[in-house]
Structure formats: structure tokens, C-alpha cells
């Protein structure tokens, strides 16, 4: 069974500032704390040959509404692989989530950061979820709903973060 969703938000800062915010270790740790992520660890946060890799791991209790099918604690490894920026700060990237207790779930997506207006940024994410085996037909939509809700919470955190920052002082 598959499920798909697309989300997009606009921020009142440039794509470069938005990217810097989203890949800042201080921002990631505070987001994890505020959103209640358990056992959160940043595994990789680096740029090599223009490609920026952000890989983090945490417990997946909020992403596994069908966790009754799985024993023990499940971990989610989230990867955002950003390509080099264009002249205007725009970027594209790949999004992937791996659930340790649910190998029959694949979560892949596409990311974009692009200029919006004179100083804004539009951040978009398109996610495709495939479920196999024990999760059956209900698993994809349940995981999609949980993941889209979590991504919306992250957006709300980014808005709060931007409100607290000094303009261009990121």
C-alpha cells in the first residue's frame, strides 16, 4: 500500500538563511527537545563536494501508529541530502526515513528551497510511503498522517525560532 503527501511553507528570510537555520546543530537540538524526541542524536552534519548531509536518529514512537505489530523500541533514522545551492540560494534535496523495527516501510521524498518574493523562502517536501507485509493497507496512510503531523510541528518550531532571531544574525 502506498501513501503520498506534499507540504509547503513560506518563511520571511532568504533561502540561504533558511538553509543555515535548518542545518544548524543548535537549532536541531532545540527542536528535538521542544518536540519531545527521545534518544535524539545527530549522526552526520557536514558538507562534502557541495553536497550537505544531515542524518539524525531518534525513537520512532510518534511515527509508528501501527507499532502494535512490532516489539520493542523502534528507531527512526532521518536523512536529508541537499545538493549545492543555485546562484539565488535555491536548493533541492532528497529525504529518507528508515524505521529499524519496520523494514517493510519505505519513506522517500524530495525537498526544495526556493526564493519566494523579494526576501522570502518557500520550503517544500513531497513524501512517498510504501508499506508491505504486516502493515498491510492501513499502514501507509497511518504512517503518512503521523509523519505529516510531525513535519507540520517542525514547521511551527521553525517559525518560533525565526521570531527569536536577530535579523540576518543567524
Amino acid at each position: 500500500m502506498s501513501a503520498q503527501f506534499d507540504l509547503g511553507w513560506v518563511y520571511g528570510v532568504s533561502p540561504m538563511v533558511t538553509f543555515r537555520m535548518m542545518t544548524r546543530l543548535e537549532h536541531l537540538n532545540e527542536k528535538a527537545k521542544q518536540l519531545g524526541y527521545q534518544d535524539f542524536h545527530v549522526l552526520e552534519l557536514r558538507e562534502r563536494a557541495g553536497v550537505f548531509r544531515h542524518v539524525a536518529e531518534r525513537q520512532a514512537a510518534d511515527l509508528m501508529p501501527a507499532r502494535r505489530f512490532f516489539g520493542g523500541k523502534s528507531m527512526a533514522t532521518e536523512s536529508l541530502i541537499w545538493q549545492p545551492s543555485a546562484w539565488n540560494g535555491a536548493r533541492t534535496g532528497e529525504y529518507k526515513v528508515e524505521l529499524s523495527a519496520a523494514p517493510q516501510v519505505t519513506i522517500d521524498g524530495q525537498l526544495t528551497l526556493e526564493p519566494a518574493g523579494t526576501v522570502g523562502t518557500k520550503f517544500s517536501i513531497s513524501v512517498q510511503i510504501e508499506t508491505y507485509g504486516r502493515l498491510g493497507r492501513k499502514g501507509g496512510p497511518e504512517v503518512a498522517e503521523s509523519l505529516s503531523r510531525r513535519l507540520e510541528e517542525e514547521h511551527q518550531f521553525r517559525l518560533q525560532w525565526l521570531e527569536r532571531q536577530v535579523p540576518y544574525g543567524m
Side-chain angles (χ1 to χ4, degrees), residues 3-5 7 62-65 107 127 129 138-153:
Q4 182 174 346
F5 63 88
L7 300 171
D62 63 325
L63 296 180
M64 294 297 296
I107 303 171
V127 178
I129 300 170
K138 293 183 181 180
E142 285 184 29
V143 173
E145 182 181 329
S146 297
L147 183 58
S148 65
R149 184 173 42 249
R150 183 189 54 92
L151 290 169
E152 187 63 41
E153 290 170 354

Side-chain angles (χ1 to χ4, degrees), residues 71-86:
K73 148 173 96 169
S74 179
M75 298 298 284
T77 303
E78 182 179 59
S79 303
L80 288 79
I81 313 301
W82 291 99
Q83 297 303 312
S85 67

Side-chain angles (χ1 to χ4, degrees):
M1 183 68 168
S2 66
Q4 182 174 346
F5 63 88
D6 300 296
L7 300 171
W9 307 282
V10 175
Y11 302 104
V13 294
S14 72
M16 192 175 303
V17 172
T18 302
F19 178 76
R20 231 178 11 218
M21 169 192 62
M22 292 172 54
T23 58
R24 190 173 174 179
L25 184 59
E26 176 186 5
H27 176 267
L28 297 171
N29 286 329
E30 187 175 327
K31 175 180 72 175
K33 183 178 179 183
Q34 183 170 327
L35 298 180
Y37 294 168
Q38 297 176 0
D39 297 332
F40 176 79
H41 300 83
V42 174
L43 303 175
E44 186 175 5
L45 194 61
R46 69 184 172 122
E47 184 174 3
R48 180 176 287 170
V51 175
F52 193 92
R53 294 179 51 87
H54 160 212
V55 181
E57 181 180 64
R58 66 182 182 83
Q59 281 192 30
D62 63 325
L63 296 180
M64 294 297 296
R67 67 180 177 264
R68 62 189 170 275
F69 293 109
F70 310 102
K73 148 173 96 169
S74 179
M75 298 298 284
T77 303
E78 182 179 59
S79 303
L80 288 79
I81 313 301
W82 291 99
Q83 297 303 312
S85 67
W87 65 271
N88 61 358
R91 286 184 186 256
T92 60
E94 299 171 19
Y95 177 75
K96 184 174 187 74
V97 178
E98 296 175 11
L99 302 171
S100 64
Q104 64 272 42
V105 177
T106 58
I107 303 171
D108 294 302
Q110 299 298 314
L111 307 163
T112 59
L113 279 176
E114 54 192 5
T118 55
V119 293
T121 300
K122 180 172 185 192
F123 172 48
S124 303
I125 182 168
S126 177
V127 178
Q128 178 74 33
I129 300 170
E130 298 285 337
T131 57
Y132 311 93
R134 294 188 288 175
L135 281 175
R137 292 183 298 174
K138 293 183 181 180
E142 285 184 29
V143 173
E145 182 181 329
S146 297
L147 183 58
S148 65
R149 184 173 42 249
R150 183 189 54 92
L151 290 169
E152 187 63 41
E153 290 170 354
E154 289 183 359
H155 159 68
Q156 293 301 322
F157 173 77
R158 285 190 290 273
L159 290 175
Q160 292 170 7
W161 175 276
L162 287 170
E163 285 178 11
R164 295 190 320 250
Q165 303 305 308
V166 176
Y168 307 106
M170 310 227 3

